[in-house]
Amino acid sequence: MPKHYRPAGKKKEGNAAKYMTRSQAIKYLQVSLSLFRKLCILKGVFPRDPKKKVKGNHHTYYHMKDIAFLKHEPLVEKFRDMRTYDRKVKKAVAKKNKDLAERLLTRKPTYTLDRLIRERYPKFVDALRDLDDCLSMVHLFAALPAIEREKIEVKRVHNCRRLSHEWQAYISRCHKLRKVFISVKGIYYQAEVEGQKVTWLTPHALQQVLPDDVDYKVMLTFLEFYETLLAFVNFKIYNSINVKYPPILDPRLEALAADLYALSRYFDANSNASIASSQTVAVSETDQVKDKKDGADLDESELRLAQLQHQLPSNEPGALMRLEKDAAGEDEDDEETKECRTLFKDMKFFLSREVPRESLLFVIPAFGGVVSWEGEGAPFKETDQGITYQIVDRPTQGHKFFSRDYVQPQWVFDCINARIILPTEEYMVGRVPPPHLSPFVVYGPDEHVPDYAETIKRLQAAARKEILPMPGLVGVEDLENPQNLLDEGIIDRSEAIEVAKRKRKLSILQKQHLDELNKEVKGEKLSFESNVSDKKSATDTGDAEVDHLQEGKDEEAMLKSSMSRKQRGLYEAIQIGQERKKAKTSRIKERKRLIDEAKKSST
């Protein structure tokens, strides 16, 4: 045989050797389509978009290395064993062999995704970066009804609810929440954990209707992976503050659907147990609980939690939690966390029956407030004289207390986003509240800024004891150096850019004014011929401006000619986007003008 012998047939090169279609991948792996989808979801393998699609544009392509990555996955053998097991069970049931069927049911093969979590997220920060979709999916299924037809089991829903409440309890207790926004889709939250911003969406507490055009099998596969991921994350963050995981909750509070409050009591019991164990390490468990009851005056549920927590070794006093000072690391918190922790400090809130209780129970303690509600298991009653704010949504209170303010729920969320205690007059019951502004929107220099956003900015400056310049009345001395205003925090970066633009415009206007003064002086001294020459010079100035505009157009044309087709398309798309933004801003301003005129005419 010759040395360089090559078998007959066309050699695969380029994209044909790097990519394969989905049907080719299924045939190569020898699995079904549903199993292939599940493997891709669990392993994080996604379709590719090659520049040259050898088999046509109507195919889905995968990289050869990704498919080879799937071929050596141990889960493939597990899934094959489970498929064989299902066939054996069906065969035993069909032959009415009950003994064999029952024996097979006790030996059902199982698998875990722990290894995949460690494989896909070698560092904890990697898991936090990929937590947005995970939290949104888990919170969604926590609010869905259990439907056997879609294989949404009750156990699955309860597990999602437990994981979501554990995450919320940590965020609330460690004051990691940063932004909240109520939208039509649901409630958006943003927290900051170990320097990473995590944003998720929770549905409203309404009856959920499941549409028929959704592939729940794919969603449940994603949920299976996300449940394992969130359990790992919760385990890590709980251990970072020296709290035993999973938490042991009071069944009475769980039965009353007060899961978040039960977790809060769990944290308190850990904290008190840590203090007791650090003082008396050699004391027995029963003696510790007894001292705890006498010193801290705990009720029955807290006493039970303390007893459960003393299942830990008594020779490890630091294994329990001191969240209030030690574990939470208050001295090491950044400025934003300290600000969030003290926003609602020394304030007591009471929630009426009609308000979104679960969301408010989450956000109010996250910013240092104490909260109770109307119903069983509440920490304090409505008649408590220490309540400073009562959250209501309908004027249904038979008896009102003059020592507290009655406000709508939006006031709480607006205070959180503004980081100040806003005046309650606009949020009184029965009034139309101000617009609920999104904290995720950053207004540019050429965009329309709502009036209430300007009002909040003034209130924030007043809370910081700063003096902001009135809108449109920035002095010439401020225009000389806007960097000073930016450094002092009086204006932000977009406003500094706007001030710089106004500075340039002001210098142009000053120059034009000086030119006009010179022309007037010359007009008094010169004759008619000199006036004609002045007109000629003015005409020359207009021609110079036209020439300047033409030069700008020529430069833009030359710039476009030097670009590639792709760069030219991106440049034109950016210009179109800017024009649309300007048109949108002008439309909003026009609508605002018409609304203001209508209000003035009606009054």
Side-chain angles (χ1 to χ4, degrees), residues 61-195:
Y61 291 87
Y62 291 87
H63 203 281
M64 284 289 296
K65 290 185 178 180
D66 293 337
I67 303 303
F69 187 54
L70 292 178
K71 185 176 179 62
H72 301 285
E73 173 58 40
L75 279 178
V76 176
E77 294 298 327
K78 283 285 185 181
F79 290 142
R80 285 171 180 163
D81 294 341
M82 294 177 68
R83 187 179 180 184
T84 305
Y85 165 81
D86 292 336
R87 288 178 178 177
K88 288 181 180 180
V89 172
K90 287 181 181 179
K91 186 177 180 180
V93 172
K95 289 186 174 183
K96 298 182 180 180
N97 192 343
K98 294 183 179 180
D99 295 337
L100 179 60
E102 291 176 358
R103 190 162 61 251
L104 286 172
L105 288 174
T106 59
R107 294 184 292 179
K108 184 177 181 180
T110 58
Y111 66 94
T112 60
L113 303 179
D114 301 349
R115 181 183 52 79
L116 290 184
I117 299 297
R118 292 193 295 268
E119 180 183 286
R120 291 181 60 176
Y121 306 107
K123 295 182 180 179
F124 182 60
V125 68
D126 299 329
L128 291 177
R129 288 170 185 162
D130 203 21
L131 209 59
D132 295 1
D133 293 337
C134 170
L135 288 171
S136 299
M137 182 74 77
V138 171
H139 281 83
L140 171 63
F141 274 87
L144 290 182
I147 299 178
E148 187 176 355
R149 172 175 52 89
E150 305 295 348
K151 296 183 179 181
I152 303 176
E153 302 174 354
V154 178
K155 183 179 179 181
R156 204 82 177 270
V157 174
H158 281 295
N159 187 44
C160 291
R161 187 170 179 82
R162 178 184 63 83
L163 291 170
S164 62
H165 282 148
E166 288 171 0
W167 166 263
Q168 290 182 8
Y170 168 81
I171 296 298
S172 177
R173 197 65 182 185
C174 295
H175 312 287
K176 301 295 184 181
L177 192 63
R178 295 294 178 262
K179 297 178 182 179
V180 186
F181 179 62
I182 314 298
S183 71
V184 179
K185 294 181 180 180
I187 306 176
Y188 287 91
Y189 298 102
Q190 187 179 88
E192 188 173 353
V193 181
E194 296 192 6

Side-chain angles (χ1 to χ4, degrees), residues 360-427:
L360 291 170
L361 282 175
F362 170 44
V363 301
I364 291 176
F367 289 84
V370 180
V371 61
S372 182
W373 62 91
E374 185 177 349
E376 296 183 16
F380 51 88
K381 302 296 182 182
E382 186 180 1
T383 56
D384 192 330
Q385 296 298 324
I387 297 174
T388 54
Y389 296 96
Q390 184 162 343
I391 312 300
V392 295
D393 212 0
R394 292 192 296 267
T396 56
Q397 282 68 34
H399 177 73
K400 289 190 176 182
F401 297 87
F402 293 103
S403 60
R404 68 188 67 168
D405 291 331
Y406 291 82
V407 293
Q408 300 182 47
Q410 183 184 327
W411 177 81
V412 176
F413 301 112
D414 287 350
C415 289
I416 288 171
N417 295 330
R419 295 288 196 278
I420 58 172
I421 304 300
L422 296 172
T424 59
E425 289 78 10
E426 297 293 331
Y427 298 90

Side-chain angles (χ1 to χ4, degrees), residues 224-237:
E224 181 182 3
F225 179 78
Y226 287 152
E227 283 179 303
T228 311
L229 172 60
L230 188 55
F232 266 78
V233 172
N234 287 347
F235 174 81
K236 176 69 175 178
I237 59 180

Side-chain angles (χ1 to χ4, degrees), residues 243-523:
V243 178
K244 185 181 178 183
Y245 186 84
I248 306 170
L249 303 184
D250 188 349
R252 182 176 67 88
L253 292 174
E254 285 187 285
L256 295 171
D259 304 71
L260 271 176
Y261 181 62
L263 282 164
S264 175
R265 300 281 286 274
Y266 170 77
F267 284 133
D268 289 334
N270 270 279
S271 179
N272 295 329
S274 177
I275 296 172
S277 60
S278 62
Q279 292 176 349
T280 56
V281 177
V283 183
S284 63
E285 295 181 2
T286 55
D287 293 338
Q288 287 182 9
V289 173
K290 188 174 180 180
D291 295 340
K292 201 172 169 46
K293 182 178 179 181
D294 296 336
D297 194 18
L298 301 177
D299 58 14
E300 294 180 1
S301 59
E302 288 176 326
L303 182 61
R304 180 184 177 277
L305 288 174
Q307 291 171 341
L308 290 170
Q309 290 313 302
H310 278 284
Q311 295 171 1
L312 291 174
S314 59
N315 59 353
E316 296 182 10
L320 297 175
M321 175 187 169
R322 296 186 66 176
L323 185 66
E324 295 292 334
K325 294 181 180 179
D326 298 334
E330 291 185 1
D331 297 334
E332 299 178 0
D333 287 339
D334 54 2
E335 292 298 327
E336 193 171 9
T337 303
K338 292 179 181 177
E339 184 182 7
C340 294
R341 188 175 61 243
T342 58
L343 180 63
F344 293 144
K345 189 177 181 180
D346 301 329
M347 296 183 185
K348 294 181 74 173
F349 295 81
F350 187 83
L351 310 179
S352 296
R353 191 176 295 273
E354 71 277 3
V355 302
R357 189 181 83 175
E358 190 166 317
S359 177
L360 291 170
L361 282 175
F362 170 44
V363 301
I364 291 176
F367 289 84
V370 180
V371 61
S372 182
W373 62 91
E374 185 177 349
E376 296 183 16
F380 51 88
K381 302 296 182 182
E382 186 180 1
T383 56
D384 192 330
Q385 296 298 324
I387 297 174
T388 54
Y389 296 96
Q390 184 162 343
I391 312 300
V392 295
D393 212 0
R394 292 192 296 267
T396 56
Q397 282 68 34
H399 177 73
K400 289 190 176 182
F401 297 87
F402 293 103
S403 60
R404 68 188 67 168
D405 291 331
Y406 291 82
V407 293
Q408 300 182 47
Q410 183 184 327
W411 177 81
V412 176
F413 301 112
D414 287 350
C415 289
I416 288 171
N417 295 330
R419 295 288 196 278
I420 58 172
I421 304 300
L422 296 172
T424 59
E425 289 78 10
E426 297 293 331
Y427 298 90
M428 302 296 287
V429 184
R431 290 189 179 183
V432 178
H436 181 53
L437 304 175
S438 173
F440 300 98
V441 176
V442 179
Y443 300 101
D446 297 330
E447 295 182 358
H448 171 71
V449 181
D451 294 339
Y452 194 59
E454 295 287 349
T455 303
I456 290 177
K457 188 179 291 186
R458 303 290 163 190
L459 292 172
Q460 289 172 340
R464 294 192 299 263
K465 297 181 181 180
E466 296 175 353
I467 300 176
L468 284 183
M470 294 298 292
L473 296 179
V474 179
V476 177
E477 64 277 2
D478 294 329
L479 287 174
E480 292 298 330
N481 193 359
Q483 185 66 32
N484 295 335
L485 298 176
L486 181 62
D487 295 338
E488 293 173 4
I490 298 177
I491 59 175
D492 54 18
R493 189 172 185 84
S494 60
E495 290 178 334
I497 297 173
E498 185 66 23
V499 169
K501 289 182 179 179
R502 292 172 65 181
K503 178 183 176 182
R504 288 195 296 269
K505 291 181 180 178
L506 183 62
S507 61
I508 294 171
L509 291 174
Q510 288 176 346
K511 185 178 180 181
Q512 290 178 353
H513 184 62
L514 290 174
D515 292 340
E516 290 174 1
L517 289 176
N518 291 331
K519 287 180 183 179
E520 289 178 2
V521 173
K522 288 180 180 179

